[in-house]
Amino acid sequence: MSTYIDTMHPERHAPYEDIPRDVRDFLNYLGAILNRSPRTVNAYYIDLRLFFKFLLRERGAVPANCEFDDIDIRGIDTAAIGSVTQSEIYEYLYFLKNERQNEPAARARKLTSIKSFYRFMTVKSNRLSEDPAKDISVPSLKKALPKYLSLEESIDLLKNIQSDFYERDFCILTLFLNCGMRLSELVAIDLKDFQEDTVRIVGKGNKERLVYLNAACLDALKHYRAARAALGNLQEPQALFVSKKTGRRLSARRVQQIVDRCLQSAGLSGKGYSPHKLRHTAATLMYRHGNVDMLELKEILGHAHVSTTEIYTHINTEKLRKAAKSTPLSKISYTEMEPEKPFLGSEEAAEDQRQQN
């Protein structure tokens, strides 16, 4: 089974050799016209490949003993794609839930891939006249609050780094915790991206933004760059974060391992923290302690819409606490309001009357 992303060089694409021509054209449209990132296009590739494998199996077009992953979908033509029905898409969603045990968010994403593909086939390329996915609604998902480290946990993480390249790993964590950048953004940084107290970040959809660096980031970068210059074996001299052993750019997976190891040494493993949670941590600390408003936070994080950033409005517990205390009724106590005589209900009043008689 081919893959679309070259993990060592995420900007490179592997050939689309195992999918129908129409799907290949759609992925090229995403990358070349809509300027979607390679990882985003890869997600569509995987989702649509799975859907068409399911379709052939569901229609009995492959031998019964054929392994699911071995199903060949290259022969699916435009007519077959156009013959897909709404019922088959619903069957696919049922398959995702029961055979693949996909959670609602994963099912919603895969349905979105199908809807985008058929929109391309009908609206953008006019290859089909009917869209079987048009009237299928993506289920509304429960919005979970972002998971993040507290201020105390963040300091503990920075204090307990165990590494044979301390300057580099301290710098990685400092940038994550202060700048709120994504993992893919951090590993892609080159030395030329820095100018004075800013760094140019290339985010989702190849959208560029400038991130301002505070004193902690600049100090960490100064120490790391001095240690980096002393390596002497740089194979990718333009890359900011490199391997001490090979001198090549660190992969996203390697940075994940570094973060995991540092979390473990700080006693924070097993709590669901990850590089992405460090991004949430940076945003949370800015919002809670820095009085950063939503529009500013949106620009810092590189969100396309402020609605994505609004999840952080729900985590400022101090503001919520103050709001609850602000009502004029908040100072009324039970003892102040307790009546001098207890209330007698109808049965109690009748019994009291009988005793008096």
Side-chain angles (χ1 to χ4, degrees):
M1 188 178 295
S2 68
T3 56
Y4 175 70
I5 293 291
D6 181 337
T7 55
M8 292 305 296
H9 301 280
E11 75 283 358
R12 298 180 187 172
H13 302 171
Y16 302 116
E17 295 178 345
D18 61 347
I19 55 177
R21 176 72 199 198
D22 287 318
V23 180
R24 189 187 300 114
D25 290 345
F26 168 63
L27 297 180
N28 287 333
Y29 166 77
L30 290 177
I33 305 302
L34 297 188
N35 206 28
R36 298 291 186 259
S37 72
R39 291 187 180 278
T40 297
V41 177
N42 189 49
Y44 281 97
Y45 162 70
I46 293 171
D47 290 346
L48 291 171
R49 185 175 60 184
L50 179 67
F51 171 65
F52 286 111
K53 286 178 183 290
F54 166 81
L55 187 69
L56 289 185
R57 192 189 74 169
E58 185 70 9
R59 291 181 172 184
V62 294
N65 61 349
C66 179
E67 293 291 332
F68 189 90
D69 288 341
D70 295 333
I71 297 175
D72 187 352
I73 62 173
R74 290 174 294 176
I76 297 178
D77 58 15
T78 304
I81 291 172
S83 69
V84 170
T85 66
Q86 190 179 79
S87 295
E88 286 176 317
I89 297 176
Y90 281 126
E91 286 292 334
Y92 175 64
L93 295 175
Y94 185 81
F95 155 80
L96 292 176
K97 179 180 179 181
N98 290 277
E99 285 195 39
R100 294 278 169 153
Q101 283 80 49
N102 283 181
E103 295 297 326
R107 299 199 302 271
R109 192 202 72 230
K110 289 172 182 174
L111 175 57
T112 298
S113 296
I114 295 172
K115 291 172 75 70
S116 297
F117 171 66
Y118 275 100
R119 191 158 52 246
F120 165 79
M121 293 293 290
T122 54
V123 177
K124 298 299 180 181
S125 65
N126 295 315
R127 301 182 191 188
L128 299 176
S129 58
E130 298 294 329
D131 181 352
K134 180 177 64 175
D135 296 324
I136 301 178
S137 300
V138 176
S140 58
L141 300 175
K142 176 182 174 183
K143 282 192 175 182
L145 295 179
K147 193 176 183 66
Y148 59 92
L149 282 72
S150 68
L151 177 57
E152 293 74 19
E153 287 176 326
S154 301
I155 294 172
D156 284 343
L157 179 59
L158 292 171
K159 280 183 175 179
N160 290 279
I161 295 173
Q162 300 294 321
S163 171
D164 61 352
F165 200 170
Y166 177 84
E167 295 88 351
R168 181 198 63 192
D169 297 351
F170 181 85
C171 188
I172 287 173
L173 292 176
T174 298
L175 291 182
F176 271 139
L177 291 169
N178 284 273
C179 300
M181 59 185 64
R182 299 178 178 92
L183 174 60
S184 59
E185 295 170 348
L186 180 131
V187 297
I189 295 175
D190 289 334
L191 294 179
K192 63 180 175 58
D193 294 327
F194 291 93
Q195 186 172 3
E196 297 180 352
D197 62 343
T198 66
V199 58
R200 182 184 68 93
I201 296 295
V202 180
K204 286 187 175 181
N206 287 328
K207 293 178 182 176
E208 294 185 5
R209 70 183 190 276
L210 280 182
V211 172
Y212 286 86
L213 303 169
N214 59 26
C217 294
L218 294 172
D219 183 63
L221 282 163
K222 181 184 73 172
H223 285 87
Y224 165 58
R225 293 175 88 164
R228 177 185 177 280
L231 291 178
N233 65 334
L234 295 179
Q235 300 300 309
E236 295 186 64
Q238 78 282 1
L240 174 62
F241 291 113
V242 295
S243 166
K244 186 176 183 179
K245 181 178 179 181
T246 67
R248 296 187 178 277
R249 185 188 303 272
L250 291 182
S251 67
R253 178 58 188 148
R254 181 66 188 120
V255 173
Q256 286 177 322
Q257 292 171 341
I258 290 169
V259 172
D260 288 344
R261 186 186 64 232
C262 293
L263 286 166
Q264 185 175 15
S265 62
L268 296 170
S269 60
K271 297 186 177 183
Y273 296 144
S274 65
H276 198 67
K277 299 305 183 289
L278 300 188
R279 170 173 160 84
H280 287 321
T281 300
T284 302
L285 295 179
M286 288 181 207
Y287 185 73
R288 293 184 65 177
H289 300 279
N291 296 317
V292 179
D293 65 31
M294 284 297 101
L295 291 177
E296 293 168 337
L297 199 56
K298 168 185 172 295
E299 294 302 318
I300 292 170
L301 297 176
H303 287 160
H305 306 286
V306 74
S307 58
T308 308
T309 316
E310 285 175 348
I311 57 174
Y312 297 105
T313 63
H314 302 294
I315 56 181
N316 196 333
T317 54
E318 190 57 36
K319 283 189 176 180
L320 296 178
R321 188 177 291 111
K322 288 180 179 178
K325 291 179 179 180
S326 67
T327 170
L329 298 176
S330 66
K331 295 185 171 125
I332 294 177
S333 68
Y334 170 84
T335 54
E336 290 175 336
M337 295 294 106
E338 186 178 12
E340 295 181 2
K341 293 184 179 180
F343 169 75
L344 296 177
S346 56
E347 293 183 3
E348 291 175 319
E351 179 63 27
D352 186 58
Q353 185 64 36
R354 282 195 296 271
Q355 291 180 0
Q356 289 180 8
N357 294 336

